[in-house]
Amino acid sequence: MSYAGYGQQPPPDQQFLWSVFQKVDKDKSGSISSDELQQALSNGTWTPFNPETVRLMIGMFDRDHNGTINFQEFGALWKYIQDWQTTFRSYDKDNSGSIDQTELKTALTSFGYRLSDRFYGLLVRKFDRTGTNTVAFDDFIQCCVVIQTLTNSFQAYDHNRNGWIRISYEEFLRLVFSLKA
């Protein structure tokens, strides 16, 4: 398949991205599946990228809702991942390639969250797939996306904007089951 499906070459500033897209599109279908994306991504630890993080990202950038990423969607996803890498590196103060509890707290606090140390410990345990009490790059993305998704859902019920909601059990279940994270 050619660039954008129109038989033309990409502009010079898009040629690198187009070459990356073609390498990731292993089956040459003109779109990237979650399996192809997972195989192409690296979290810097020589372990496969978290499939749940890949699923979240496909869902965020799949504008035509066909379960895959086309070239235009891939461009937006590429920028998103680059931005996350920059963010991750800025909070990985010891350059270990992972985020510990203190670094996670610093990151989320800078994003505007005010949570207890106990909760940050819970987050590390929840998103640590390696058993090292740290969070890898891909899991950091997932953690942040999940926290933001939950925050947005909570805010829909926080009518007074005071950090408190009162909902019925069924409303709670509706909130949880309607989440895209």
Side-chain angles (χ1 to χ4, degrees):
M1 179 168 197
S2 58
Y3 173 72
Y6 300 113
Q8 59 194 15
Q9 288 297 313
D13 60 332
Q14 292 285 299
Q15 285 180 353
F16 172 75
L17 191 57
W18 177 242
S19 70
V20 172
F21 180 83
Q22 288 179 308
K23 287 176 185 155
V24 175
D25 182 17
K26 296 285 187 198
D27 65 2
K28 304 301 179 211
S29 65
S31 61
I32 296 172
S33 69
S34 59
D35 288 341
E36 289 171 323
L37 185 61
Q38 182 186 15
Q39 291 172 12
L41 293 174
S42 170
N43 64 18
T45 62
W46 302 103
T47 58
F49 216 77
N50 184 334
E52 187 60 23
T53 305
V54 173
R55 185 191 67 76
L56 281 171
M57 291 188 308
I58 291 276
M60 291 168 63
F61 290 94
D62 179 16
R63 301 292 180 227
D64 55 7
H65 306 290
N66 66 356
T68 62
I69 300 293
N70 64 30
F71 180 68
Q72 289 75 21
E73 295 164 339
F74 180 72
L77 174 61
W78 180 266
K79 181 177 179 347
Y80 181 78
I81 292 172
Q82 299 281 57
D83 291 347
W84 273 116
Q85 281 181 327
T86 301
T87 300
F88 181 84
R89 288 183 183 130
S90 73
Y91 292 107
D92 180 16
K93 296 298 183 192
D94 60 1
N95 294 316
S96 65
S98 61
I99 299 283
D100 65 21
Q101 182 173 330
T102 301
E103 293 165 332
L104 182 62
K105 180 180 180 178
T106 301
L108 292 177
T109 300
S110 75
F111 300 161
Y113 295 100
R114 302 294 180 261
L115 306 165
S116 69
D117 287 341
R118 184 175 179 184
F119 188 76
Y120 287 112
L122 174 67
L123 285 176
V124 169
R125 287 189 302 280
K126 170 73 176 158
F127 292 99
D128 171 19
R129 291 184 305 133
T130 61
T132 58
N133 209 27
T134 61
V135 179
F137 171 60
D138 52 342
D139 299 316
F140 176 71
I141 295 172
Q142 183 185 4
C143 175
C144 294
V145 169
V146 167
I147 291 290
Q148 183 61 52
T149 301
L150 291 170
T151 298
N152 292 345
S153 296
F154 182 91
Q155 288 175 338
Y157 287 90
D158 185 9
H159 304 294
N160 296 330
R161 299 290 181 243
N162 63 1
W164 291 89
I165 63 173
R166 184 177 176 129
I167 59 176
S168 70
Y169 180 62
E170 187 172 334
E171 287 172 316
F172 169 74
L173 290 175
R174 191 176 319 116
L175 179 141
V176 170
F177 286 116
S178 67
L179 293 175
K180 299 257 184 197

